[in-house]
Amino acid sequence: KDYQNCLINFKKALAIDNSNLYTLFGLVFANIENKDSSEAVKYLNTIKEIEPEVVEGIESLPKLEAKGYTWTTNNKDRLNKLFEEQK
């Protein structure tokens, strides 16, 4: 799959609104798929700066879901793995 175009478009969107969590999560997932965990962590850390409760890890996801954010089970599993790697 071609995640390079995806990354380019998410970065363009981020240039318009650098605090958009949908865009930032998109960059996290696209970088995970692109096998670039250091970039995924970079964007996850940016998310943590905007939404400090994300520091709690996977436990923070229900709080974000209550705010209207959604993800697939597959992406939730990816986030969980990324959070675990940061411990």
Side-chain angles (χ1 to χ4, degrees), residues 8 24-25 32 37-38 43 50 54 57 66 74 77 84 86:
I8 289 167
L24 289 163
F25 275 114
I32 289 170
S37 61
S38 64
Y43 290 110
I50 296 166
V54 176
N74 195 23
D77 292 342
E84 288 297 317
Q86 288 192 300

Side-chain angles (χ1 to χ4, degrees), residues 35-66:
K35 311 259 187 282
D36 192 344
S37 61
S38 64
E39 279 294 293
V41 168
K42 177 179 110 176
Y43 290 110
L44 184 60
N45 288 336
T46 301
I47 292 168
K48 290 176 184 177
E49 291 172 12
I50 296 166
E51 287 285 345
E53 65 216 13
V54 176
V55 175
E56 298 171 14
I58 198 72
E59 293 81 18
S60 67
L61 296 188
K63 294 175 186 174
L64 293 174
E65 289 167 352

